Every structure is written in C-alpha cells, then in structure tokens.
Amino acid sequence: MKKIKSIQFLTLGVITLTLLGTIGLIKNNDYKQTSAVDHYPVDVSTYYNGISGSGTSLLGQLQSLNKGMKRKNVGYSSMGTSPTGMFKYTDYDPNTVELDTNGQPYGTKILSFYSGKSTTGWNREHVWPDSRGGGSVDNDIFMPRPTISSENSNRGNSSYVTGMAHSANGWDPVKAFADNIGVYESIRGECARIIFYCAVANPSLKIKEGADMSYNNSIGDLISLLEWHVDNPINERERNRNNGGQYLQGNRNAFVDHPEYACKIWGNYNDETKKICGQSTTK
C-alpha cells in the first residue's frame, strides 16, 4: 500500500506540474513569449470562408463579414479601468490567469498597451483618436486599449509615423518611450493592425499617407503602418486578444488571423507601399 500511495502522489505531482507548464508565462514587456492556456473553443477554420480578392473589394468583404459576425459591442464603460472590466479577457497578464465558468482565460491584472507593464489600474487609449473619428468605434473592444495614464497622455491625437515623438508631425511609441519605459518594437505591429481593423469596423474611417492632421475621420501614416505591420509579426498577446474579443463580441480582427490582407488591400497605393509589400513575408 505504501508503494501505491507513493506512486499516486508522484503521479499527481507530475499532473500538477504539467498543468502549470501549459500556462506559458509572458515576461513584462516581452510580447513574443507565449501564454498557451486552453480557452473557450474558438473555431476560425470557417470564419473567413468566401473571403477573397484584393483592394476595395476585399476591404468591403471584410466590412460585411465583421458586421455580420459581431453580436454586440462591449461598450466603452464596460471595458473599465480596473480588473472588473472586460479588458480582463483581452489584455490579461498571463501571470495572473484564471478561467471563467466557460473555461475562458481572464486575468486579475492586465498588460498596459505600450509598455506591457502589469497593472491593476489604467485608462483607455483610443488607438484611433476621438478627434479623428475614433469615437465611432470606441464601444468596440478591438479599438481602445488599457494604458497606464502616463503613456496614454504622451501621444495625444497624433497619427502613427515612424521616428516621430512630437504630435504635430506624428508619433511613434518606440521613439517616444524607448529610453524610459522600454517599449518593444513589436508594439508597432499591434498599433498598425488595430488601425487596419478600425477601417473595417467603420467604412467611413480612412487610412491616408502622411501625418494628416486635418482629422476628418482619417489617420496616417499608411506607409509607416504597413512597414510596422510587415516588420513586426503577430504575437501571442494579439492572438489572446483576438480570442477574447470574439468571446465577448463574436467577431475578430482579420489582420491578426490573416496578416496578408493588409497588403492585399493597401499594398498598391503607391510605389512605396508596393515596395514594402513586395518584400513582405505575409503575402
């Protein structure tokens, strides 16, 4: 009997360690780590059935798909500024993961958008700023991001432009924050794919070349955004966010699941975008 108990104890210990091992912990600021938690079933194998083509045709198909798949918007207030809000399902710190009654992961802390710092208090960054039309999609969980207030206030309503840290000429989180809060370059890719998503979620929102400070439901810089998208592949934080977003709303960010769509839609805009997308491994 003693031998059997020892074996049972050892087996339970192995199972426990195995279960713990399935939760790949992500280091703060290291978005390339994984967080492999079993989650509420998400089947994307048929989600994009029938989607094809390029340019405005492809964009229109994605707009129709997104509208049809979205059951609801989470709502700006429901996203919250603490772990009781719905960001716990989309922006969670994998070191704090728990499962709800459906087996869906959520966190008791979240990762601040730009720096990836783990926190229990934040405000909401409009990745597509209100003054540029972002208010039309701020109820959609895929656009606002939980962000420590000191990081949020730095950007203002700037377009995303490579190498810029001043709002009048555009803004780049890596340029603005690299020296003090250690932003990783991969955040550029996340910014780009959210902007692309917004152009799908609301057809009146347009992505243009340049800093484009005229507002009017537009934002730039298309060239910077395509470069950021191509140079910074999809990371695990985005995949977790996509699954959490679908769990809450029913729809997904197509550019996380199919990064090639960005170049198919905007890659022929001019010679510069053709060059960027011609070198892309996402085509």
Side-chain angles (χ1 to χ4, degrees), residues 205-226:
L205 298 178
K206 307 298 180 183
I207 305 171
K208 296 185 177 181
E209 185 180 357
D212 182 29
M213 292 300 287
S214 61
Y215 311 151
N216 299 325
N217 290 343
S218 64
I219 198 171
D221 168 34
L222 177 60
I223 290 173
S224 293
L225 291 167
L226 282 175

Side-chain angles (χ1 to χ4, degrees), residues 59 62-63 127-128 142 160 188-202 205 207-208 219-230 234 238 253-256 258-263 265-267 276-277:
L59 180 58
L62 293 178
Q63 289 166 343
V127 181
W128 194 300
F142 287 108
Y160 288 119
R188 287 172 168 168
E190 291 189 52
C191 294
R193 287 180 280 275
I194 292 172
I195 294 298
F196 297 153
Y197 169 82
C198 290
V200 167
N202 183 351
L205 298 178
I207 305 171
K208 296 185 177 181
I219 198 171
D221 168 34
L222 177 60
I223 290 173
S224 293
L225 291 167
L226 282 175
E227 284 181 330
W228 292 5
H229 171 63
V230 169
I234 315 304
E238 290 178 277
N253 183 339
F255 303 99
V256 173
H258 285 278
E260 72 277 8
Y261 286 168
C263 279
I265 294 171
W266 293 287
I276 292 167
C277 289

Side-chain angles (χ1 to χ4, degrees), residues 8-23:
Q8 289 174 335
F9 180 78
L10 178 61
T11 301
L12 287 172
V14 170
I15 292 172
T16 300
L17 289 172
T18 301
L19 288 173
L20 289 174
T22 62
I23 304 179

Side-chain angles (χ1 to χ4, degrees), residues 100-161:
D100 70 9
T101 55
N102 291 318
Q104 182 71 15
Y106 67 93
T108 57
K109 292 184 177 183
I110 62 92
L111 298 176
S112 181
F113 179 39
Y114 289 119
S115 67
K117 291 181 178 178
S118 184
T119 183
T120 57
W122 55 84
N123 58 23
R124 287 154 291 195
E125 160 79 327
H126 282 67
V127 181
W128 194 300
D130 263 346
S131 61
R132 296 173 175 273
S136 63
V137 287
D138 68 2
N139 287 323
D140 187 321
I141 194 73
F142 287 108
M143 190 279 276
R145 295 294 296 264
T147 309
I148 295 171
S149 59
S150 61
E151 301 171 24
N152 187 321
S153 60
N154 186 284
R155 177 189 172 199
N157 59 7
S158 311
S159 286
Y160 288 119
V161 181

Side-chain angles (χ1 to χ4, degrees), residues 11-66:
T11 301
L12 287 172
V14 170
I15 292 172
T16 300
L17 289 172
T18 301
L19 288 173
L20 289 174
T22 62
I23 304 179
L25 301 181
I26 183 170
K27 298 178 181 179
N28 290 344
N29 299 333
D30 189 354
Y31 305 153
K32 295 184 180 180
Q33 297 292 320
T34 61
S35 54
V37 182
D38 289 334
H39 51 76
Y40 188 69
V42 173
D43 182 9
V44 297
S45 62
T46 59
Y47 187 96
Y48 298 97
N49 278 359
I51 300 298
S52 62
S54 61
T56 56
S57 173
L58 175 56
L59 180 58
Q61 291 173 55
L62 293 178
Q63 289 166 343
S64 296
L65 174 66
N66 192 68

